[in-house]
Amino acid sequence: MTTGTAPARPGPPPALALLAAAHGGPALAVTAIAGLLALRGDLRPLDTAVVTGAVLTGQLTIGWGNDLRDLPRDRAVGRTDKPLATGALPVGRVVGALAVAALACLVLSVLAGWPSALANVVLVVGAGHAYNLALKSTRWSWVPYAGAFGTLPSVVTLAGPAPSWAPLWTTAAGAALGVGAHLLNALPDLADDERTGVRGLPHRIGERPSRVLAAVLLPAASLLAVFGPAGTPPVWAWALLAPVAVLAVLTLVARGRTPFRAAVAIALLDVVLLVAAG
């Protein structure tokens, strides 16, 4: 199969195809995390909506940028789960959607305040595009994930009435979650990635070490979420560590996309910990 224009095939409705090309599941999960953190941060309702919208539109640009960048590789390995690769979604439509989302991200980020805007545009969205354009195929592929997820809580706290960086333990928890998610997200595509020259950290250390490292990082993030806040952790916080442990085991034994979904579930549980403790 060539890397030229793929023949159009029947596909999902345009809106669903666009969402799929934007990696809708992870994008919405990250947005949900930002929204919950904003609620915990006692932002005004309008500020909460603005910050959440800025994060969502930024994540959409990352997803669309990723599929546009990977289009030749996806066609070369015959990816049937990507509307761009199958020809079900025109390239021009994705480029246009990316441009609109990028403009919306910039406007919403500025409305959240310059400190939050710089954190979101440079350290979160910028990190995602740095991964797409340069770092995905290097041993430093984990760095954008650590930086973006570690900065996400600060996008919220910098939008508050007294802008400040999030506590260090929150940043560390986010970074651990991000790297763990990166390791697990890459596992189903290791063989196809190797064929097309993509050799990020998971490819270099292998499937089993990637699983083990992720199974350490994800619970570590949960422990930071439990013990990071001041005071004695409540009983319910201890109880939430049980499903985290089960999900961590899934990252070791499950196949396909299940380990990555388990990582997303752990991230959402960690945010629940933060919101309930707030």
Side-chain angles (χ1 to χ4, degrees):
M1 185 177 293
T2 66
T3 59
T5 302
R9 302 178 187 176
L16 292 180
L18 272 174
L19 185 62
H23 302 203
L28 292 175
V30 172
T31 302
I33 291 171
L36 290 171
L37 288 173
L39 289 173
R40 178 186 181 267
D42 294 326
L43 298 184
R44 294 178 301 174
L46 179 58
D47 291 336
T48 296
V50 167
V51 170
T52 304
V55 171
L56 172 60
T57 50
Q59 292 302 305
L60 291 176
T61 71
I62 294 171
W64 286 323
N66 181 277
D67 270 21
L68 287 168
R69 175 69 170 175
D70 286 350
L71 183 55
R73 287 195 290 262
D74 290 339
R75 286 179 176 168
V77 299
R79 291 290 295 264
T80 60
D81 58 331
K82 294 196 171 186
L84 269 175
T86 63
L89 184 64
V91 171
R93 184 173 297 168
V94 177
V95 172
L98 191 157
V100 171
L103 178 60
C105 177
L106 288 172
V107 172
L108 290 169
S109 295
V110 170
L111 289 176
W114 283 107
S116 178
L118 290 174
N120 186 44
V121 173
V122 177
L123 299 178
V124 177
V125 180
H129 287 292
Y131 172 82
N132 290 340
L133 296 173
L135 298 177
K136 181 176 181 176
S137 300
T138 75
R139 63 173 55 90
W140 305 107
S141 62
W142 59 275
V143 173
Y145 280 84
F149 278 78
T151 303
L152 189 60
S154 292
V155 172
V156 174
T157 58
L158 288 168
S164 63
W165 289 93
L168 183 59
W169 65 266
T170 312
T171 302
L177 282 171
V179 176
H182 167 51
L183 293 167
L184 297 175
N185 189 39
L187 294 185
D189 302 323
L190 286 181
D192 286 347
D193 286 346
E194 290 276 5
R195 286 172 52 194
T196 54
V198 176
R199 284 185 51 79
L201 178 65
H203 311 82
R204 294 168 189 266
I205 66 177
E207 177 179 354
R208 189 62 184 173
S210 293
R211 287 181 182 272
V212 172
L213 182 55
V216 171
L217 289 171
L218 295 173
S222 300
L223 290 172
L224 283 168
V226 170
F227 295 105
T232 303
V235 173
W236 59 261
W238 288 93
L240 278 184
L241 291 179
V244 168
V246 172
L247 291 166
V249 171
L250 274 179
T251 67
L252 284 172
V253 301
R255 292 293 182 267
R257 296 291 175 187
T258 300
F260 178 68
R261 295 188 182 108
V264 172
I266 290 175
L268 292 174
L269 283 175
D270 289 347
V271 177
V272 170
L273 283 167
L274 295 177
V275 172

